[in-house]
Amino acid sequence: MLSNHGGPRPPLAIAWLRGLIRRRSGRLAATAIGVALAVGLLASIGAFLSASKATMTSRAIATVAVDWQVEAQNGSDPATMARRVAATPHVVATEPVQFATTTGFQFDGASTVQTTGAGHVLGISNTYRKTFPDQIRTLAGTPNGILLFQQTAANLQARPGSTITVNRAGLEPVKVTVAGIVDIPQADSLFQTVGAPIGAVAQAPPDNVLIVPTATWHRLFDPLAAKRPDLLHTQVHARLDHALPRDPAAAYNTTTGQARNLEVKLAGTGLVGDNIGATLSGARSDALYAQILFLFLGVPGAVLAGLLTATVAGSGRDRRRREQALLRTRGATTRQLTQLGITEAALVGVVGSALGLGLAYVVGRLAFRTTRFGATTGAAIVWSASAAAAGLLIAIASIAVPAWRDGRDTTVATARLTVGRAGNPRWMRWFLDVALLATAVTVFWLTSRNGYKLILAVEGVPTISVSYWAFAGPALLWIGAGLLAYRLTNTLLHRGRPVLAASLRPLAGGLSDTVAASLKRQRRLLARGAALVALTIGFAASTAIFNSTYHQQAEADAVLTNGADVTATISPGATITPTSQVARRIAATPGVRHVEALQHRYAYVGADLQDLYGIDTATIVKAGRLQNAYFQGGTAPQLMATLAAKPDSILVSAETVHDFQLLPGDAITLRLQNGKTKQYANVRFHYVGVAKEFPTAPRDSFLLANASYIAQQTGTDTNGSFLIDTGGHNIASIAHQVSIQVGTTATVTDLASSRKVIGSSLTAVDLAGLTRVELGFALALAAAATGLTLWLGLVERRRTFAIAAALGANPRQLGAFVWAEAGIVTTAGIAAGTATAWALSNMLVKVLQGVFDPPPSALAVPWSYLIVLGAVSIAATAIAAVIALANARRPHIELLRSI
Amino acid sequence: MSSTILAHATGVARTFGTGSAAIVAVHDVDCSIRPGDRIALMGPSGSGKTTLLHLLAGLDQPTAGIVEWPDIGSIGDLRPGPVAVVFQAPSLLPPLDVIENVALPLLLAGADRQDATARALEALTRLGLDNLKAKLPEELSGGQAQRVAIARVLADRPKLILADEPTGQLDHRSGAAVIDALIAAAIHTGAALVVNTHDPAVAKRLNIRWSMANGTLIVSEPLPC
């Protein structure tokens, strides 16, 4: 069978493979399944990234009302610029928009005259709203004609049909009749300063806006062009072809490149306000976070699958060594043995990779509704090829490399050894585990300090940087914890034999010392098993905890942003009290469980103008779903109790405490507007605690005080908003009903919309699919790490059990050996894995702080999944042990005859 | 010759497989083993020697006929204790050292640990193997491992020792030492001894010859030892 020239003739390789398939089909299949799990997980992650990146791109694009706002520069001809913009490739529609600054608006009501400060009048064509349907939303009246911004309408107390006066600088005021009341959802973008330097402070959108048809605008403001051209300007709003790359970063580069290209063509006559670029800039950070999540959550799973494959392949190592020893005694060289190993590895790698890609295809279809393994065709090819290459690599590392090493380093005599005088591995003598854990803690400390940014994506800069260094902390912790689990198990089995024997007595009776001795001699094998279980449980549990915390915080973020299931924010100028008719109508809306009235005022703290919220401390904790993390120095109920203790108590932001060097009990004097006199007056409070977050409040600085005290001091109990609890049911329809009830007096938002809108962070990425896939794979890995490896190990030693049975061991005595082994591996593995998961989850959440907004006060522990994980691990172990014992009950004659 | 019978086979047959693929390993065998018997079971490879030995040891069940152990009891009473088997292939448990291996059948029988260890050490000393007591099986030569397996039998003080080609993987010298140990163990315990062997030199050391050919047993008269 063997040639004299060193290489195996084809028949040997074929005969070897045939023999493996016929005689070792179980182990071959198990090894191929390990490879398939690794390939499947990697390719599934590719599918997840593909789906999530495409989602982020399309969702980001969908939120943009106007892609570009091209503003004509002084002296240029707007019509020429408009033609050039329209002729630009990828621009599919354009609309000119005129802007004029007015000195204010006025409405003469029946009994009062309401006036506003300076405002803006926009001129749009009658096709504008069709071209850009998301820019303007009709709240009342007709969609065409003279449209008044909701806030302006509230300030003027005007409604459709009202005739208002438009004041013009240096010209006579003119009167127009309001046809409709509208909302401008993206007023920030619409009134942006085009061409403002990057990093410039964003301007607040104007409160007073009137939208008129183009012809009307020209009639009103053409006379102003000669006198005050500085008050007028023209923009061309453009919609782009949205056939963009699926990857947000690539889409960003495409659109910003097109914008720069247009500016070059306009040669200074126009500047591009690149709204779509700005949005995609945020999305590319999200995409990178998604990639990071893959690194943190996906790679360990693939590594585990690789380790598992190596363990499965390694469980047959003794047998393979003996077979190799036989081949070598018949003249086989190391090269020939290695080639046989490569042949086996190739078979396992190819079959496993094909299975894995098939698995990922199915998983992608079911979980992510995509069958692509990458955001682009190129990426899909790279992902598929990389995943398959990883599978082949795992197979080679698990099968061919050990075969080569055994062939090179192992003598025929030592190849027959099955236990050996187990010396400690080199890494244990070098304390590699301790070093890794110490490095992990150091890296974690360095990367979790304040101000550390995991991702740096500067707007306007095409490249984004990621601190991959931060990954080292959790990665080293995971590896170090696995090695430490090995060390501890190894030490327990080596040094703790008397303790072990005593603890095994209930199980093994008089055999307990013999069983303990057996465990001690096999400690390397058992410690390896325990480490693998620890790594698997650590991976599965920390992934589950991370995902659960992520979902908890995504929900908290939405609640924090929106305030409640449905929130009605009173328009400035409107006066709604808790007892007003509007409030009663909201409360009476079907499906509304509870309505929490929230006062919202502005108060001067020194020279700072801050948001002040007047709350009912008895009901706000539940109604506002207040979390302990929102407060400093106590839980939410404790801080509310502190606030309620004295009427003039106030909670302030940490920033304010720092700025004003406040100590608990200090008096603070705020300047608040009196509801009747409209004059600002001093109101005295006492500082009692710190609030970090509050529903609907800005993040930097705000104040919380007792609503009754504010009402008493300002002479009005008018509300800022109503937090409406629907019990989480029919949110959208109840929001719609409430919006009908409140009319133009309030803006109604709901939680479902907020979940979609808060897309600046990773909450835009739907992790549900990834979670299902990861947790599913983790369960499979846990079952394999416990049950499969134990079963294969027992199968490889079934001759030992056959001898024990032939010596007279009864099933209970055989069971003592098997259950002790299974118990040690599972108990040590699960204990070490739980500790690892706890440490890893805390570290992951801290390192990935950027993902969480607000940061969690505590990890969300998915107990049901963890219980299932533990149950699967224990059940897999038990099933493996029971099967092995059932096989060992009768001595197998053929095993007793074999060498 | 004693009137008590340790093992008795009547019309015993063992067939592996079914139909056209069936192989008849042992066919219509009648035999008895009495205390003090020293039996050499001889025959060419594939003649059914090992199968018969396994049937007599209660490790396998006949497909026809009956195997009984009148002086011992039922099949469940054979091990650990009354019937001990020495296998051709290595039969020491790899994770246990020599003394633990020797003591194992005693512990399986419910002996106290200290007592089992003392008896194991005594058996090893009797066979001159006490210097190997802390060794692992993989650290022993083939001959040493077989002698330790015999020490395990000795410590168990059986009534019947069945050895399946115990020298089959050994050189002549090691094989002779193993047979010496087996006979010494049988003498010390008073057990009957059945040795399955190809080797005429081994067979000469035993006073009864059984020959097997094609699954059929030919029993000879006892020779003077």
Side-chain angles (χ1 to χ4, degrees):
Chain A
M1 291 289 276
L2 301 175
S3 79
N4 295 327
H5 307 293
R9 289 171 187 159
L12 175 60
I14 292 168
W16 185 260
L17 275 187
R18 199 178 292 154
L20 284 174
I21 292 166
R22 288 171 65 179
R23 306 281 176 201
R24 305 277 180 267
S25 55
R27 200 179 72 220
L28 273 186
T31 317
I33 287 169
V35 171
L37 277 176
V39 172
L41 185 57
L42 284 174
S44 295
I45 296 289
F48 162 73
L49 276 179
S50 165
S52 60
K53 282 185 174 181
T55 304
M56 281 184 274
T57 306
S58 59
R59 193 173 283 178
I61 293 170
T63 61
V64 182
V66 174
D67 294 336
W68 284 347
Q69 291 175 225
V70 188
E71 187 162 302
Q73 297 304 290
N74 286 342
S76 63
D77 175 23
T80 309
M81 188 193 77
R83 279 197 299 277
R84 282 187 179 163
V85 173
T88 304
H90 309 293
V91 170
V92 294
T94 58
E95 288 282 352
V97 179
Q98 282 77 31
F99 287 75
T101 305
T102 73
T103 53
F105 303 106
Q106 183 178 312
F107 175 55
D108 300 334
S111 56
T112 59
V113 176
Q114 304 290 336
T115 57
T116 72
H120 292 269
V121 179
L122 271 61
I124 60 170
S125 74
N126 55 7
T127 56
Y128 183 90
R129 295 194 63 181
K130 195 176 173 190
T131 310
F132 302 107
D134 298 328
Q135 183 73 292
I136 299 164
R137 193 160 62 97
T138 303
L139 298 177
T142 62
N144 300 312
I146 309 291
L147 306 173
L148 192 60
F149 183 38
Q150 178 199 31
Q151 193 170 332
T152 320
N155 289 341
L156 293 174
Q157 298 178 8
R159 56 175 67 93
S162 301
T163 298
I164 63 167
T165 305
V166 180
N167 298 321
R168 301 176 296 175
L171 293 175
E172 285 296 307
V174 289
K175 287 184 182 297
V176 292
T177 302
V178 175
I181 308 295
V182 295
D183 182 29
I184 306 173
Q186 296 183 17
D188 291 25
S189 301
L190 180 60
F191 294 100
Q192 67 182 287
T193 306
V194 175
I198 289 161
V201 178
Q203 282 188 330
D207 292 340
N208 304 309
V209 180
L210 185 70
I211 301 168
V212 301
T214 306
T216 308
W217 187 92
H218 283 297
R219 183 169 58 79
L220 296 181
F221 294 102
D222 279 355
L224 198 63
K227 290 181 181 174
R228 293 292 304 275
D230 59 305
L231 296 179
L232 308 176
H233 65 271
T234 303
Q235 288 184 356
V236 173
H237 289 188
R239 184 153 58 82
L240 301 182
D241 175 7
H242 286 173
L244 291 167
R246 290 159 64 92
D247 185 349
Y252 169 80
N253 288 338
T254 302
T255 57
T256 49
Q258 289 166 352
R260 297 291 83 80
N261 183 265
L262 174 60
E263 283 187 336
V264 169
K265 283 182 180 165
L266 292 174
T269 59
L271 287 176
V272 179
D274 186 4
N275 298 336
I276 193 168
T279 306
L280 285 170
S281 177
R284 67 188 173 142
S285 303
D286 294 347
L288 209 53
Y289 264 120
Q291 208 150 312
I292 287 168
L293 278 181
F294 149 69
L295 277 172
F296 269 108
L297 307 178
V299 168
V303 169
L304 261 181
L307 283 175
L308 196 66
T309 309
T311 307
V312 169
S315 67
R317 193 186 59 179
D318 294 332
R319 184 180 291 272
R320 194 191 61 237
R321 278 181 168 180
R322 287 196 297 271
E323 289 165 354
Q324 284 188 353
L326 276 175
L327 281 172
R328 288 168 71 189
T329 55
R330 285 157 176 77
T333 63
T334 303
R335 189 174 161 209
Q336 288 170 322
L337 295 177
T338 309
Q339 282 173 341
L340 290 177
I342 290 172
T343 307
E344 184 180 342
L347 174 71
V348 167
V350 168
V351 171
S353 295
L355 281 174
L357 289 176
L359 180 69
Y361 179 87
V362 173
V363 164
R365 275 192 79 91
L366 296 178
F368 311 133
R369 293 181 186 83
T370 181
T371 52
R372 298 169 65 105
F373 297 143
T376 61
T377 306
I381 292 169
V382 170
W383 268 108
S384 311
S386 302
L392 281 171
L393 210 64
I394 288 169
I396 287 171
S398 307
I399 300 166
V401 172
W404 167 75
R405 212 169 42 208
D406 287 349
R408 196 190 60 171
D409 301 336
T410 314
T411 64
V412 171
T414 55
R416 294 180 61 243
L417 302 183
T418 55
V419 177
R421 290 281 174 198
N424 288 338
R426 224 171 283 171
W427 65 260
M428 267 181 79
R429 282 177 266 147
W430 293 344
F431 287 93
L432 182 64
D433 49 340
V434 178
L436 286 175
L437 291 173
T439 312
V441 171
T442 309
V443 171
F444 173 63
W445 176 72
L446 287 172
T447 54
S448 60
R449 286 181 303 178
N450 286 338
Y452 189 89
K453 296 269 186 211
L454 188 64
I455 289 183
L456 203 60
V458 180
E459 197 181 337
V461 178
T463 55
I464 37 183
S465 60
V466 180
S467 171
Y468 286 99
W469 177 239
F471 306 156
L476 293 177
L477 174 72
W478 187 60
I479 298 167
L483 293 180
L484 185 65
Y486 181 105
R487 178 190 290 279
L488 294 176
T489 311
N490 187 65
T491 307
L492 169 74
L493 295 174
H494 190 202
R495 307 270 176 222
R497 183 174 158 182
V499 178
L500 207 57
S503 55
L504 285 171
R505 192 161 292 278
L507 176 74
L511 275 178
S512 61
D513 198 68
T514 308
V515 174
S518 168
L519 295 176
K520 178 186 171 182
R521 306 266 161 58
Q522 298 179 91
R523 63 183 180 275
R524 289 177 76 155
L525 178 73
L526 301 179
R528 202 158 51 222
L532 189 64
V533 173
L535 286 173
T536 310
I537 298 291
F539 160 73
S542 61
T543 303
I545 293 171
F546 177 86
N547 283 328
S548 192
T549 307
Y550 175 89
H551 286 296
Q552 171 191 275
Q553 293 315 111
E555 191 64 16
D557 193 5
V559 171
L560 199 58
T561 304
N562 195 58
D565 292 336
V566 177
T567 301
T569 306
I570 312 300
S571 301
T575 304
I576 310 286
T577 65
T579 53
S580 66
Q581 201 177 8
V582 170
R584 285 201 299 275
R585 282 206 302 262
I586 293 173
T589 305
V592 171
R593 284 187 177 183
H594 174 76
V595 179
E596 183 77 7
L598 201 64
Q599 288 179 1
H600 181 214
R601 312 286 170 84
Y602 292 99
Y604 281 98
V605 186
D608 291 348
L609 190 62
Q610 292 192 11
D611 294 80
L612 168 67
Y613 294 89
I615 56 177
D616 182 346
T617 53
T619 53
I620 189 66
V621 174
K622 197 174 169 197
R625 301 188 202 173
L626 301 189
Q627 296 193 2
N628 295 336
Y630 294 179
F631 302 95
Q632 195 172 300
T635 62
Q638 284 168 346
L639 268 289
M640 288 304 105
T642 307
L643 198 63
K646 286 183 181 174
D648 65 346
S649 297
I650 192 165
L651 302 178
V652 306
S653 67
E655 190 181 303
T656 306
V657 172
H658 178 263
D659 289 348
F660 294 89
Q661 297 292 303
L662 296 175
L663 291 172
D666 281 358
I668 307 178
T669 301
L670 304 181
R671 295 185 67 224
L672 291 175
Q673 192 179 37
N674 187 284
K676 289 168 186 157
T677 64
K678 304 293 179 191
Q679 298 300 308
Y680 277 88
N682 290 346
V683 179
R684 202 173 163 83
F685 290 89
H686 280 93
Y687 157 63
V688 294
V690 174
K692 295 189 285 189
E693 307 263 11
F694 190 74
T696 72
R699 294 210 171 93
D700 46 4
S701 54
F702 60 91
L703 308 155
L704 289 183
N706 290 300
S708 54
Y709 182 70
I710 295 172
Q712 179 208 333
Q713 293 295 314
T714 59
T716 175
D717 62 350
T718 186
N719 289 125
S721 57
F722 290 99
L723 306 181
I724 302 161
D725 176 17
T726 68
H729 306 299
N730 304 322
I731 291 176
S733 67
I734 293 171
H736 179 66
Q737 290 301 317
V738 170
S739 68
I740 292 170
Q741 300 296 336
V742 299
T744 61
T745 58
T747 306
V748 178
T749 53
D750 66 76
L751 197 60
S753 308
S754 290
R755 285 194 194 109
K756 291 177 186 166
V757 172
I758 51 168
S760 59
S761 72
L762 239 196
T763 43
V765 179
D766 182 10
L767 275 186
L770 180 67
T771 305
R772 278 198 299 274
V773 170
E774 291 252 337
L775 300 187
F777 270 102
L779 281 182
L781 287 172
T786 48
L788 184 62
T789 51
L790 175 71
W791 180 68
L792 285 170
L794 294 175
V795 163
E796 286 301 321
R797 282 174 290 131
R798 60 191 190 275
R799 187 168 183 276
T800 303
F801 294 115
I803 294 168
L807 291 176
N810 60 37
R812 194 183 64 79
Q813 291 167 327
L814 287 173
F817 284 93
V818 173
W819 288 115
E821 193 172 310
I824 286 285
V825 171
T826 311
T827 308
I830 289 180
T834 305
T836 306
W838 176 82
L840 204 54
S841 303
N842 278 293
M843 193 180 268
L844 273 177
V845 168
K846 188 80 177 165
V847 169
L848 287 172
Q849 198 74 46
V851 173
F852 299 106
D853 187 17
S857 54
L859 297 178
V861 182
W863 290 112
S864 53
Y865 177 81
L866 296 185
I867 288 168
V868 168
L869 178 67
V872 163
S873 305
I874 291 167
T877 305
I879 289 167
V882 167
I883 292 172
L885 277 173
N887 285 332
R889 193 157 292 188
R890 290 274 309 144
H892 287 271
I893 300 301
E894 70 281 3
L895 291 174
L896 294 174
R897 288 185 182 206
S898 68
I899 296 171
Chain B
M1 187 181 291
S2 170
S3 59
T4 53
I5 295 176
L6 294 171
H8 181 68
T10 311
V12 164
R14 178 69 167 96
T15 304
F16 293 100
T18 53
S20 59
I23 296 169
V24 181
V26 170
H27 174 64
D28 197 22
V29 167
D30 295 308
C31 63
S32 297
I33 304 169
R34 294 180 173 81
D37 281 356
R38 305 282 183 268
I39 301 167
L41 178 58
M42 299 192 70
S45 292
S47 60
K49 302 187 300 292
T50 300
T51 303
L52 179 60
L53 206 74
H54 287 159
L55 290 169
L56 292 171
L59 292 172
D60 198 6
Q61 304 277 341
T63 45
I66 299 169
V67 182
E68 295 168 301
W69 299 269
D71 196 38
I72 296 171
S74 66
I75 193 166
D77 302 323
L78 304 184
R79 284 174 309 279
V83 176
V85 184
V86 178
F87 298 96
Q88 179 186 13
S91 63
L92 300 180
L93 299 190
L96 302 181
D97 65 19
V98 163
I99 196 161
E100 287 162 349
N101 260 293
V102 175
L104 184 61
L106 303 172
L107 293 169
L108 293 175
D112 173 70
R113 182 171 155 256
Q114 281 183 330
D115 185 39
T117 306
R119 279 171 63 182
L121 187 59
E122 182 195 331
L124 286 168
T125 308
R126 184 167 290 280
L127 296 181
L129 299 169
D130 50 326
N131 57 328
L132 300 177
K133 66 179 181 185
K135 297 272 187 193
L136 288 173
E138 63 197 22
E139 295 166 333
L140 304 177
S141 69
Q144 285 174 330
Q146 278 302 51
R147 284 159 66 206
V148 170
I150 293 164
R152 183 168 66 190
V153 167
L154 180 61
D156 211 14
R157 294 174 193 165
K159 291 183 175 178
L160 172 61
I161 302 170
L162 299 160
D164 183 17
E165 299 198 37
T167 61
Q169 296 183 5
L170 305 177
D171 59 51
H172 187 76
R173 196 171 165 182
S174 300
V178 164
I179 294 301
D180 287 345
L182 260 179
I183 291 172
I187 290 169
H188 181 73
T189 56
L193 174 65
V194 180
V195 179
N196 174 357
T197 182
H198 287 292
D199 190 346
V202 172
K204 274 185 187 170
R205 309 274 307 267
L206 307 168
N207 66 339
I208 301 173
R209 299 275 166 79
W210 288 359
S211 296
M212 283 204 81
N214 296 322
T216 307
L217 179 68
I218 301 160
V219 179
S220 70
E221 287 301 311
L223 300 169
C225 289

